[in-house]
Amino acid sequence: MIIQERRGVFAPLLKKKARPIRPPYALSLEFFDQVCFTCKDKACSTVCEETIIFIDEDGLPKLDFKESGCTFCKECAKACIHGVLDSSKEDFIDAKVTISSAKCLAWNGTMCFTCKDSCEANAIEFFGVYRPVIKDNCTACGFCKSPCPVDAIEIKGVKGV
Ligand code: SF4
Ligand code: SF4
Ligand code: SF4
């Protein structure tokens, strides 16, 4: 009874955890939960030259694009000897990339093409001069995130296969 009352008091304060962005080349996203926490070497994170793979509090690898992005070099997949990553899979990160129209300079009337200039895949299209949107060919590599002067690029993990 006491526990229920406490839960009732604190429930509105509990925030839903954002889904982490996992490394590319996963055979199944479920393998991260099932295998990585027992992995001793965490080799995927140590070989990544872009240093975007970090180990989270559960012992699982997750990507952070604050400083850089994924070049799809496949080194993480080659280093994983535990069957979680497979370098023969496509160059793709299971994440959703969006541009916040509230934060974006262009959407608010200031000319800015910084994100487009940093996207090698040419996956950012401008409708007119002021309306950038992410196209379907986005690989979620993350290279557009850090150059944005107002942090308008949002990249969130999604549930995949
Ligand atoms: S090396 Fe493989 S098993 Fe180990 S943490 Fe990285 S993805 Fe998981
Ligand atoms: S493919 Fe290369 S750059 Fe991308 S996460 Fe793996 S090791 Fe890092
Ligand atoms: S995350 Fe998508 S839009 Fe951004 S640079 Fe990579 S491919 Fe381009």
Side-chain angles (χ1 to χ4, degrees), residues 5-43:
E5 281 171 10
R6 281 186 180 159
R7 276 192 187 143
V9 170
F10 292 115
L13 300 175
L14 294 175
K15 269 193 176 169
K16 222 177 162 187
K17 263 171 92 177
R19 187 175 289 278
I21 306 165
R22 300 300 182 200
Y25 310 116
L27 284 171
S28 160
L29 285 190
E30 285 167 4
F31 283 9
F32 289 116
D33 295 321
Q34 293 165 0
V35 181
C36 294
F37 74 100
T38 62
C39 170
K40 299 264 191 296
D41 53 77
K42 313 289 186 198

Side-chain angles (χ1 to χ4, degrees), residues 97 118-119 121 123-124 134 138-144:
V97 182
S118 60
C119 179
I124 300 179
I134 307 290
C138 169
T139 59
C141 71
F143 274 109
C144 56

